[in-house]
Amino acid sequence: SSQNSRNMSSHIANLNGTVKITCVRAAGIPRTQMMGKQDPFVRIYYGPSKAKTKTAKDGDKNPVWNEEVCIDAKDSGEKDIKFVVKNENFGLDGDICMVKFPIFALLSWPGEEKWYPLFKEENHKRQAGQILLKATLEGTGGLPELKAPQWGILQATYGGPNVPTVDVSGFLEVQATVHNGTLKFAKDTDLSSYFGFDPLPHHRAAKNLVLQYTKGGVVHEVKIGESHDDTEVVLENEVAKEQDEAAKAAKAKALLEERQKREAARRAAEAERLAKEKAEADKRAKLQAILLARQQEGLRMQRMQRVKASTAQGTHFAKKETKVDAKIGCYWRYQDYPTVYWASTADGEGRME
């Protein structure tokens, strides 16, 4: 247990700075003087540092101070702070009541007023009223803060209804990270040993760890007593889960984009193939048109030869007449070739008119 306590304490940083504490008032404190109203004030002890409030003249059982005092913390590993309510009585100041608890209970709720129990003795057996306090730390150190939760921890408090309560959310977040999301509370290790501090000694039954966390989108709450059976809480790394889901979404998006890219490439290749086939088809059609034209020209020339031959034999003449330009020749129309030709008496060649 002592080794476990040292390991846990390694999560707690020494305080450096100034702790500003406001003693607001007390209620229901006992009367220690026989006659008249008592004049209470508060002395505060934290390691070597001390502070004192003003005296609430005739404050008696319900004194009001509303005073801020400062405690210096210079690389202090001290965990407990002590408040003693005293009665000013002509230099013979007597103790009225007191309480000693971890300073983390004050610093867990910065600037927030909270009631803390007071007791007749340091063993915290007989309660003697309560005191209203608030505090802030101008500096660094203390328990880890829950700044960027990864394990679904919503809140974790260690204490109780009539016991100083400490916010241990950041502490458990560190523990979860160290142990891959599993928080183990062994039967032979009290919570005070697990955390390395005790919210209020000698009050075992009144102290509990209350842990609220989310897992699988559902809010869970577990309550563990100072003394407990072996308990294991398995948390879920929501940040890793979100990152995994984001990675899966990114992968799916990349696959979709790759499919779309391949489909676009396929369509472009198909369009290129169709364009190439069309160009080849156009080329073939053009060649066929050229061949057809050549064939038709060949047929025409063959027919011309037949026409020339017929004129040489003096057959198939359609008519004879004299041209305006004084050229005399023969004109005829071949039966299946509509062009009119004429032949000169000088050269005997067929000319297309």
Side-chain angles (χ1 to χ4, degrees):
S1 295
S2 61
Q3 180 65 39
N4 185 69
S5 178
R6 285 194 296 272
N7 292 338
M8 299 304 105
S9 295
S10 66
H11 302 331
I12 304 173
N14 288 354
L15 293 180
N16 271 297
T18 300
V19 181
K20 294 185 175 182
I21 303 171
T22 300
C23 297
V24 182
R25 61 192 178 95
I29 63 175
R31 180 179 293 155
T32 58
Q33 68 182 39
M34 297 299 294
M35 298 180 62
K37 293 183 178 181
Q38 58 193 4
D39 305 319
F41 65 93
V42 183
R43 279 201 177 274
I44 305 170
Y45 304 87
Y46 176 67
S49 298
K50 299 177 183 179
K52 174 184 176 296
T53 68
K54 64 186 179 183
T55 300
K57 186 67 174 175
D58 293 332
D60 202 30
K61 293 184 176 183
N62 300 292
V64 176
W65 300 285
N66 279 324
E67 183 179 358
E68 181 182 86
V69 296
C70 295
I71 292 289
D72 290 329
K74 297 179 180 178
D75 195 28
S76 176
E78 178 66 38
K79 295 184 176 66
D80 292 329
I81 188 168
K82 182 178 179 181
F83 294 83
V84 180
V85 181
K86 302 174 77 70
N87 180 30
E88 187 178 83
N89 190 12
F90 304 105
L92 301 174
D93 303 337
D95 293 349
I96 301 175
C97 50
M98 58 80 59
V99 67
K100 183 179 181 181
F101 58 83
I103 194 170
F104 314 126
L106 284 172
L107 302 181
S108 291
W109 322 104
E112 185 176 341
E113 293 183 357
K114 282 189 172 294
W115 286 100
Y116 297 87
L118 294 167
F119 299 88
K120 287 288 290 183
E121 307 91 359
E122 194 164 334
N123 60 14
H124 299 147
K125 287 186 176 180
R126 294 185 297 170
Q127 188 165 349
Q130 54 185 345
I131 186 169
L132 185 62
L133 305 169
K134 70 176 180 179
T136 56
L137 170 63
E138 292 186 354
T140 60
L143 292 174
E145 294 183 40
L146 188 66
K147 291 183 177 179
Q150 298 183 9
W151 297 98
I153 294 177
L154 301 175
Q155 187 179 53
T157 56
Y158 175 33
N162 199 33
V163 172
T165 302
V166 183
D167 184 351
V168 292
S169 306
F171 188 103
L172 293 183
E173 179 77 14
V174 174
Q175 279 292 92
T177 302
V178 171
H179 298 286
N180 198 29
T182 301
L183 301 175
K184 293 183 178 180
F185 303 91
K187 181 179 180 179
D188 59 354
T189 304
D190 290 345
L191 289 179
S192 56
S193 297
Y194 181 88
F195 290 107
F197 58 84
D198 192 335
L200 195 66
H202 314 295
H203 284 255
R204 298 177 63 84
K207 292 175 291 191
N208 296 283
L209 167 64
V210 180
L211 169 62
Q212 292 181 331
Y213 63 96
T214 59
K215 185 176 181 180
V218 179
V219 177
H220 301 267
E221 181 176 293
V222 60
K223 187 175 182 180
I224 303 171
E226 178 71 22
S227 299
H228 50 270
D229 293 328
D230 288 337
T231 305
E232 184 175 287
V233 180
V234 180
L235 304 175
E236 182 177 75
N237 192 324
E238 294 192 340
V239 172
K241 183 180 178 182
E242 290 175 0
Q243 290 174 345
D244 185 54
E245 291 176 352
K248 288 180 180 178
K251 185 177 180 180
K253 182 181 178 182
L255 290 173
L256 177 61
E257 290 176 349
E258 182 63 26
R259 284 197 294 269
Q260 291 174 339
K261 189 183 295 183
R262 288 199 299 267
E263 178 64 18
R266 186 193 68 77
R267 291 180 180 178
E270 179 69 12
E272 184 179 0
R273 183 186 66 80
L274 293 175
K276 186 176 180 180
E277 289 180 355
K278 182 177 183 302
E280 291 176 350
D282 291 345
K283 184 178 180 181
R284 287 194 298 269
K286 186 176 182 180
L287 289 173
Q288 289 174 356
I290 292 173
L291 290 174
L292 181 60
R294 288 177 179 176
Q295 290 175 356
Q296 290 177 345
E297 180 64 17
L299 290 174
R300 189 181 72 80
M301 294 304 296
Q302 290 175 6
R303 289 173 179 172
M304 283 291 297
Q305 292 297 325
R306 289 197 296 271
V307 169
K308 291 178 181 179
S310 67
T311 60
Q313 298 171 5
T315 59
H316 300 294
F317 287 93
K319 62 180 179 178
K320 288 185 178 181
E321 59 185 35
T322 302
K323 296 289 286 183
V324 177
D325 56 4
K327 291 183 179 180
I328 299 174
C330 301
Y331 294 82
W332 71 94
R333 182 181 296 277
Y334 192 62
Q335 292 177 352
D336 55 354
Y337 203 79
T339 306
V340 176
Y341 294 87
W342 69 281
S344 165
T345 55
D347 55 23
E349 295 292 332
R351 306 283 180 87
M352 181 163 56
E353 183 67 28

